[in-house]
Amino acid sequence: MRSTLRTPTLRRAAVALAVGSLAVALTSCGGDDNGDEPSGKDPSKSSGSSLQLPKLDGKTLEIAAVWTGDEQKNFKQVLAEFEKRTGAKVTFVPAQDPIINFIGSKVAGGSPPDVAMLPQPGAIKQAVDKKWAKPLDKDVQAELAKNYSQGWQDLGKVDGQSYGAYYKAANKSLIWYNTAVFENAAAKEPKTWKEFLTTCQALYDSGVTPVSVGGADGWPLTDWFENIYLSQAGPEKYDQLAAHKIKWTDPSVKQALTTLAQLWGKSDYLAGGNKGAVQTEFTKSVEQTFTGGDQPKGAMVYEGDFVQVNIQQTKAKVGTDAKVFPFPAVGDQAPVVSGGDAAVIFKDSPAAQALVKFLASPDAATIQAKLGGYLSPNKNVELSAYPNTVQRTIAKALVDSGDSFRFDMSDQTPQAFGGTPGKGEWKALQDFLTNPKDIAGTQRTLEADAVKAYKD
């Protein structure tokens, strides 16, 4: 996320969220029921939907994604609706991360999936450059134009041609906290980085380790860096670094790593210390924040809106036991970094185009929105579809931001640099988490890996 959740997936998006409203107590509210199809009606159209899908009886499709657990389970409900409306049979193919390498092996073997969910714009470009990806037809493009801002449409384009339809998004600028621990420590939700460090000290003084970090998965570490860098260096520098138009040895990178070391350099502030943090998987980093009552292993955990799915695996309740505040402002403004996943066609056919059209529609997104742990960039998804207050707030801000967003930086870079376990930025920041004093060495490693990845 990376989970996608990593998202997810987004590239140049730092969504201009109304961050002040995100610090609300999350309350569970039900969405509208899907309802059964009225008898005698065309199953290719749902009740109240204008979406036209072809009859695909006897057609079979494969769609690949790295999603697991509830994320995969919920997505399969979306695919089931497509099957119901068209008569096609869709098989979900679990993929390994990085998915672009998985796709490459399938292409080499002559059996690529019909469609794959790619979590990086860089991966889309790579798939196009290798002539694996197929352009989206005019019918799909019309669906995109109807439901997405120009910025989201452009994220799926390579050299002006549409290849990706963004189905899933993520706000990756949120810090979740154990409310009982905060209350015991009389800690307040911080708005600035300085206040955040003060809050960490208050939590530590109360007897609870302040922060849980999922360092075993490299992608959360890149997100930590990106939030600090975006807020501190600003959007213009952020875009330049994402495109490698400035070097990772730039003073702005040194400044961001120095700021990050103010947290990572305090071993007592990290659940398990530096060594434990770099061995902690993302899911565990969330779970250990919301288990153990008012004596968890960590009081806070950073990551996107999708953390709700992981909190639901504990006994903690979002809105009471678990609350959220925006990533604190390091510079003039609090950052909001976004990510997401785009549907890309690898075996062109009317059925594959129809599946991507469906995924680009509000009909598909609404199904998964109601199931929770999901955010759509589709502006025609009703806010009432989201199951709780914070999800509705995040979704509204995402849509209202229009084109004013920044995408996850690592997802904009070549996969070898920003999206591969044990390599590039993921590995460099894991090493930095282990030894936060080595700022200069980390910069040199990042730059050397970036040069190689961008050249390749």
Side-chain angles (χ1 to χ4, degrees), residues 21-251:
S21 63
L22 283 178
V24 298
L26 313 184
T27 56
S28 179
C29 303
D32 300 330
D33 292 334
N34 286 329
D36 295 328
E37 290 292 339
S39 60
K41 296 245 182 134
D42 184 350
S44 65
K45 286 173 42 175
S46 69
S47 178
S49 172
S50 62
L51 182 67
Q52 296 278 357
L53 295 172
K55 296 289 187 180
L56 299 170
D57 295 304
K59 301 297 183 182
T60 60
L61 291 166
E62 288 186 345
I63 183 166
V66 297
W67 301 335
T68 59
D70 287 344
E71 193 171 22
Q72 181 186 128
K73 178 182 176 182
N74 293 347
F75 184 59
K76 284 182 176 179
Q77 293 192 42
V78 177
L79 299 179
E81 178 65 17
F82 177 78
E83 291 179 325
K84 177 182 176 182
R85 294 197 198 180
T86 64
K89 174 64 178 176
V90 184
T91 300
F92 181 91
V93 178
Q96 290 78 45
D97 207 354
I99 191 171
I100 195 67
N101 292 353
F102 173 84
I103 297 297
S105 66
K106 291 293 185 179
V107 171
S111 59
D114 297 272
V115 178
M117 308 302 294
L118 299 188
Q120 297 100 4
I124 297 176
K125 185 178 187 305
Q126 186 174 344
V128 172
D129 290 345
K130 291 181 177 294
K131 302 188 185 307
W132 296 344
K134 312 302 180 186
L136 301 180
D137 67 21
K138 292 183 179 180
D139 204 23
V140 179
Q141 291 180 51
E143 191 68 24
L144 288 170
K146 185 164 51 176
N147 299 318
Y148 294 80
S149 71
Q150 190 62 50
W152 282 101
Q153 294 178 60
D154 290 345
L155 282 173
K157 293 181 179 179
V158 176
D159 297 330
Q161 174 68 58
S162 292
Y163 287 93
Y166 275 91
Y167 171 73
K168 180 176 171 60
N171 176 324
K172 304 175 80 172
S173 297
L174 304 172
I175 294 180
W176 301 81
Y177 66 93
N178 185 310
T179 55
V181 176
F182 261 55
E183 290 170 2
N184 292 343
K188 298 180 179 179
E189 295 179 353
K191 294 184 179 180
T192 67
W193 183 255
K194 183 178 179 180
E195 291 175 357
F196 176 71
L197 295 177
T198 299
T199 297
C200 286
Q201 185 63 49
L203 293 166
Y204 177 76
D205 291 342
S206 76
V208 178
T209 303
V211 182
S212 177
V213 177
D217 299 307
W219 60 268
L221 305 185
T222 70
D223 293 344
W224 270 104
F225 171 81
E226 289 160 8
N227 276 273
I228 289 174
Y229 191 84
L230 176 61
S231 182
Q232 193 171 61
E236 184 176 349
K237 282 272 192 181
Y238 184 96
D239 291 342
Q240 291 173 349
L241 187 61
H244 203 212
K245 291 182 178 178
I246 58 175
K247 296 182 178 181
W248 283 83
T249 50
D250 190 85

Side-chain angles (χ1 to χ4, degrees), residues 369-382:
K370 290 181 178 181
L371 298 173
Y374 167 83
L375 181 65
S376 173
N378 190 313
K379 64 185 179 184
N380 288 321
V381 175
E382 295 291 337

